[in-house]
């Protein structure tokens, strides 16, 4: 959903794990199983927790619950061993807090080999995290650890109220052979069928794209929701009325002027190329209603008027020059219209601009919708082939779902002659076959028959979208094609944090996120927020170029591959394949020396293994149970090690 969110802290949440060697004890201590001692730090001493590093102490300041919590200085951790039952499933929860949101604090479960688990939070408010723990036969204890990794700002982190709950018996699943992949079947919604798989193949092959949030809001530099909230989340009545907001397009705004004087689309596109990206998606208009293209729509406010430039045209030209697929982001909503909050003119929704119910709002909302049709038609007819559209803001008055609002926008194939907000006849477009007036997606497909779109217009979408920096988990996504989007800095649109290398996401996290996408058959759309001059910060550029260097090494395991043939294990490992190759991604949670590749199908065998991360050959041996052991693989890249396993035959014949 296109809800406001604090992405700056969300994107720091990721699964991480550290493993210790497993030690098996033969004595069973049933009565003790699943007990954490001193789980809420209410005692005056830390026992039985052990400390690593300097600075773990019981703190009486602002605990989550009770009188105390544990404070961990930068680089410190505490741990204790907890007895568990073998072949069991437990749930471990803890409340965690960081000082600023720019560092993270982790809850790790070690000593369980490939079943080690970990979760990290970078939230500056008390946040509950949860990990599932599974024990194999013979495993009778685990080490529970709370860790505040060394951080540059030397910030503390806190933890409180750990709980371990026995869920039930766990029966380990044995993977035998390679099962056929599920094939996505195109569905029909609102009279329009999803694009066939072959039309989406380029996105699945591409894996990595650049998202760009740039517009008037880059002037004040407090994020793309500035018009609505003046950079203060949750603030009341902070909206900036359109007449006042316009001023950011003019030099009178001084340091908050959206100057665009250094905007050179070639710089963006060449950076995307260097980063190993294969497509771009630029915001052509965000909720503030400022169009970055030349538009003749009735009530338009555009860069053509204010800067005599069509930024979208310049951008599209550069995408093509650098051989990148062309993506456009377009929001449906428009804060320049009071009617957006009161489409019926009878029930104005809460808003920050002081608008109240007014019968005239119904016509105002209709004009907003008509402008949308007008502008979308311009976008799909004036710029040549558009490969992908990222719709946003389908919901009305920032309430309900995109699908609920589809009746207002008429996002499907046709317009309904009975609709309460008719699009003006001069803006309507028609189906050449039957003369029927076209709805939003009907019109888009008429001019861009191969374009693929996300679901946020209210129409079902050709692919699905997952937003934000929260960890990507679970099995390979096979029912639909998925794109994950997240931002590199605090917020999507420019904020000063985007130029601060301590606040921009790390190379390690990009590698991790991209790997998590690839092994689940997803693509990653990574956002940059250029400044008011049009430049992407050096901090973001640097990490992107480093990502490009990494992709030069492992690109064979990324581009053109499909996630699978087996499901990943969150935080530990996963697979991608292409032809005769299976690529094994060993994530930072995997600390074993050897890796057991599941059983292949009859007639298939491993003929060679090498590491894309360091170029070295890997020894392997087939075991009696059908698995193939890949030996001595840990350590070549602390973030993610990528192995190429070559088979004698194609993975899927
Ligand atoms: C969130 C933000 C929105 C941004 C979008 C990108 O929904 O609120 O401003 O454009 O994410 O996916």
């Amino acid at each position: 959903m296109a809800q406001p969110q604090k992405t700056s802290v969300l994107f720091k949440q990721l699964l991480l794990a550290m493993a210790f060697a497993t030690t098996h004890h033969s004595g069973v201590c049933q009565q003790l199983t699943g007990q954490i001692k001193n789980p809420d730090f209410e005692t005056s001493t830390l026992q039985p927790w052990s400390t690593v590093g300097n600075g773990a102490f019981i703190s009486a300041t602002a605990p989550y619950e009770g009188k105390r919590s544990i404070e961990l200085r930068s680089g410190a951790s505490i741990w204790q061993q907890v007895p568990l039952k073998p072949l069991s499933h437990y749930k471990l929860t803890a409340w965690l807090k960081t000082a600023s949101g720019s560092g993270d604090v982790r809850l790790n479960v070690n000593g369980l080999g490939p079943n080690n688990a970990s979760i990290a939070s970078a939230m500056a408010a008390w946040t509950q995290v949860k990990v599932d723990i599974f024990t194999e036969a013979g495993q009778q204890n685990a080490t529970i650890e709370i860790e505040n990794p060394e951080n540059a700002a030397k910030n503390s982190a806190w933890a409180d109220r750990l709980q371990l709950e026995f869920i039930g018996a766990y029966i380990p699943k044995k993977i035998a052979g390679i099962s056929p992949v599920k094939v996505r079947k195109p569905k029909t919604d609102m009279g329009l069928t999803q694009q066939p798989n072959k039309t989406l193949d380029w996105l699945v092959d591409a894996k990595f794209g650049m998202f760009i949030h740039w517009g008037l809001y880059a002037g004040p530099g407090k994020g793309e929701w500035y018009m609505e909230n003046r950079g203060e989340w949750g603030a009341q009545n902070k909206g900036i009325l359109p007449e006042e907001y316009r001023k950011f397009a003019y030099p009178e705004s001084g340091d908050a002027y959206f100057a665009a004087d250094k905007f050179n689309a070639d710089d963006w596109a060449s950076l995307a190329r260097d980063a190993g990206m294969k497509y771009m998606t630029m915001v052509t208009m965000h909720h503030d209603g400022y169009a970055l293209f030349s538009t003749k729509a009735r009530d338009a406010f555009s860069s053509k008027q204010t800067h005599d430039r069509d930024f979208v045209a310049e951008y599209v030209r550069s995408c093509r020059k650098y051989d990148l697929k062309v993506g456009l982001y377009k929001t449906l909503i428009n804060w320049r219209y009071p009617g957006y909050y009161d489409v019926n003119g009878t029930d104005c929704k809460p808003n920050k601009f002081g608008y109240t119910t007014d019968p005239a709002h119904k016509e105002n909302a209709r004009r907003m919708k008509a402008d949308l049709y007008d502008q979308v038609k311009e976008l799909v007819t004036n710029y040549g082939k558009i490969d992908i559209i990222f719709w946003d803001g389908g919901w009305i008055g920032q309430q309900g779902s995109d699908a609920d609002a589809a009746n207002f926008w008429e996002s499907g194939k046709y317009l309904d002659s009975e609709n309460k907000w008719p699009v003006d006849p001069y803006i309507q477009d028609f189906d050449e076959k039957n003369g029927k007036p076209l709805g939003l997606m009907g019109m888009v497909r008429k001019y861009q028959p191969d374009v693929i779109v996300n679901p946020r217009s209210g129409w079902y979408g050709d692919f699905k979208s997952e937003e934000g920096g929260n960890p990507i988990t679970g099995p390979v996504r096979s029912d639909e094609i998925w794109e994950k989007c997240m931002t590199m800095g605090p917020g999507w649109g420019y904020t000063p944090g985007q130029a601060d290398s301590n606040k921009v996401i790390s190379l390690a996290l990009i590698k991790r996120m991209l790997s998590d996408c690839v092994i689940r058959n997803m693509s990653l759309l990574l956002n940059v927020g250029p400044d008011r001059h049009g430049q992407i910060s050096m901090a973001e550029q640097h990490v992107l170029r480093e990502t490009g260097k990494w992709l030069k090494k492992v690109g064979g395991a990324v581009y053109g591959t499909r996630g699978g043939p087996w499901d990943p294990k969150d935080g530990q490992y996963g697979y991608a394949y292409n032809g005769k190759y299976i690529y094994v991604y060993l994530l930072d949670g995997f600390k074993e020396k050897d890796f057991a590749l599941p059983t292949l199908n009859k007639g298939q065998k491993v003929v060679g293994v090498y590491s894309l991360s360091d170029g070295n050959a890997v020894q392997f041996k087939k075991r009696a149970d059908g698995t193939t052991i890949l030996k001595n693989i840990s350590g070549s890249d602390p973030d993610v090690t990528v192995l190429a396993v070559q088979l004698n035959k194609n993975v899927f014949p």
Side-chain angles (χ1 to χ4, degrees), residues 56-70:
F57 47 89
I58 305 275
S59 154
T61 324
Y64 165 69
E65 200 181 68
K67 293 201 171 66
R68 301 184 180 101
S69 66
I70 178 82

Side-chain angles (χ1 to χ4, degrees), residues 2-3 211 213 224-225 286 329 390 392 456 467 485 492:
Q3 306 287 358
F211 205 1
H213 275 68
E224 76 288 357
W225 278 67
H286 208 268
Y329 162 113
F390 191 114
D392 197 10
R456 291 209 198 144
E467 180 183 283
C485 65
W492 300 86

Side-chain angles (χ1 to χ4, degrees), residues 1-7 211 213 217 223-225 233 283 285-287 329 331 335 390-393 395 454 456 465-468 483 485-487 491-493 525 527:
M1 286 308 306
Q3 306 287 358
Q5 55 169 264
K6 292 202 174 175
T7 328
F211 205 1
H213 275 68
Y217 42 82
E224 76 288 357
W225 278 67
W233 291 103
V283 171
M285 189 187 106
H286 208 268
H287 312 335
Y329 162 113
T331 189
W335 289 325
F390 191 114
W391 298 118
D392 197 10
W395 68 157
N454 77 346
R456 291 209 198 144
S465 163
E466 178 175 311
E467 180 183 283
E483 183 191 61
C485 65
M486 64 182 289
T487 181
W492 300 86
L525 182 64
N527 180 70

Side-chain angles (χ1 to χ4, degrees), residues 1-4 225 227-228 287-288 331-345 347-353 355-356 358 360-369 392-402 405 408-409 421:
M1 286 308 306
Q3 306 287 358
W225 278 67
M227 179 173 176
E228 204 254 9
H287 312 335
D288 62 1
T331 189
L332 275 63
I333 77 172
N334 196 324
W335 289 325
R336 302 180 65 241
Y337 294 82
Y340 166 60
Y341 292 99
D342 187 20
V343 296
N344 297 303
D347 53 348
C348 194
K349 304 278 179 301
N351 64 82
K352 299 203 172 157
F353 300 96
Y355 301 134
T356 53
D358 182 341
H361 283 161
K362 189 177 172 198
E363 169 60 10
N364 185 265
R366 191 193 68 75
R367 282 176 76 124
M368 168 179 72
K369 173 179 172 183
D392 197 10
W395 68 157
I396 293 293
Q398 284 140 235
Q399 288 189 0
S401 71
D402 298 334
F408 173 82
W409 301 112
W421 302 273

